[in-house]
Amino acid sequence: ELALASARRGFAVVGHFRSAKKEIKILAREVEKLGRPFFPIAWDFAKGTGGFIARCARFPVRLEALVNNASLYEKGDLYSSAERAWRAQVEINAFVPLLLSMDFARRVKRGLIVNLLDAGAEKFNRTFQTYRLSKRLLGELTRDTAMLLAPRIRVNAIAPGPLLPAAFDGRAAFLRKQHLAPLGAQVTLDTLTAAFDYLLTRPDLTGQVLYVDGGL
């Protein structure tokens, strides 16, 4: 959805994927229907980020924005999570976006970075402690990098509530989560893309987190 929103704004899209070859081909066709070029790039961030931004720059595009959306969403608490699982959450959800942001900032003169957080990360959740803390760290990094990279690079974030069911959630459980919000299930992917579009078009905003969560 964020790739399509970018295309509707007139951007070419460099679309990262790890293993979803079928899905990335479908997305490429949807972007190209909007009259914008799409360049897929396969990469496993668990094996490092070195060279990724340089690879993106080889495509016939001018890099203007980076969206840090790759995420590892797994159950885990501070008592029982294995060290490997805990490190993996922090690595993918916080450290990788930081490294990509720094590489992006070294390569472009002016630009925008948007980090995807999680509105639920603000509250205690025993089942997802490691995930929640890794996303909270990304929130702190959003504010710090916004100060560090200003005024050349703007850094903002979007914190969605439950917009899509998780792989291990049933439809009923997902709807229960949505209805916990004061606005119920009114928040949709359109709300997310509207927030993204707002950040794209506001050159006076940096260090901000937009909560797309129905009031949670």
Side-chain angles (χ1 to χ4, degrees):
E1 292 299 323
L2 297 178
L4 294 174
S6 301
R8 285 192 289 268
R9 267 282 156 196
F11 290 98
V13 177
V14 178
H16 159 253
F17 70 104
R18 183 179 58 173
S19 57
K21 294 181 180 180
K22 179 181 177 181
E23 290 84 351
I24 206 74
K25 289 178 181 178
I26 294 171
L27 179 58
R29 289 195 293 269
E30 293 297 313
V31 168
E32 289 164 358
K33 284 180 185 176
L34 294 169
R36 307 308 302 161
F38 183 92
F39 305 97
I41 177 168
W43 200 280
D44 185 352
F45 288 136
K47 298 178 181 178
T49 63
F52 177 79
I53 297 295
R55 276 274 303 276
C56 293
R58 292 179 197 163
F59 294 114
V61 297
R62 183 176 74 250
L63 297 182
E64 296 189 66
L66 168 68
V67 179
N68 284 311
N69 190 29
S71 181
L72 187 61
Y73 181 54
E74 294 179 348
K75 296 179 180 180
D77 64 68
L78 299 183
Y79 290 102
S80 60
S81 290
E83 180 181 346
R84 178 202 56 78
W86 173 225
R87 286 180 178 274
Q89 296 261 18
V90 175
E91 179 81 14
I92 297 299
N93 295 345
F95 195 46
V96 163
L98 174 64
L99 294 176
L100 292 175
S101 296
M102 294 298 100
D103 284 348
F104 176 80
R106 292 186 192 100
R107 187 165 287 271
V108 305
K109 292 182 179 179
R110 301 191 70 83
L112 167 68
I113 297 170
V114 178
N115 294 324
L116 267 291
L117 308 181
D118 189 319
E122 299 294 331
K123 297 181 179 180
F124 177 77
N125 186 325
R126 188 180 300 277
T127 307
F128 290 97
Q129 274 186 298
T130 51
Y131 166 79
R132 182 180 67 86
L133 290 171
S134 68
K135 282 293 188 177
R136 287 188 67 176
L137 176 55
L138 181 57
E140 291 300 315
L141 291 172
T142 297
R143 286 178 276 270
D144 279 20
T145 52
M147 297 297 290
L148 181 66
L149 301 178
R152 293 190 308 110
I153 309 292
R154 296 189 297 117
V155 187
N156 295 293
I158 302 173
L163 297 181
L164 293 169
F168 41 75
D169 265 348
R171 179 72 178 170
F174 167 65
L175 290 175
R176 280 196 299 273
K177 289 179 183 178
Q178 281 200 321
H179 284 291
L180 289 174
L183 295 182
Q186 295 184 44
V187 179
T188 66
L189 286 169
D190 288 340
T191 319
L192 175 70
T193 55
F196 179 61
D197 196 58
Y198 180 72
L199 292 177
L200 286 177
T201 56
R202 295 299 310 184
D204 53 345
L205 289 183
T206 196
Q208 302 302 307
V209 178
L210 298 185
Y211 289 86
V212 182
D213 64 352
L216 275 174

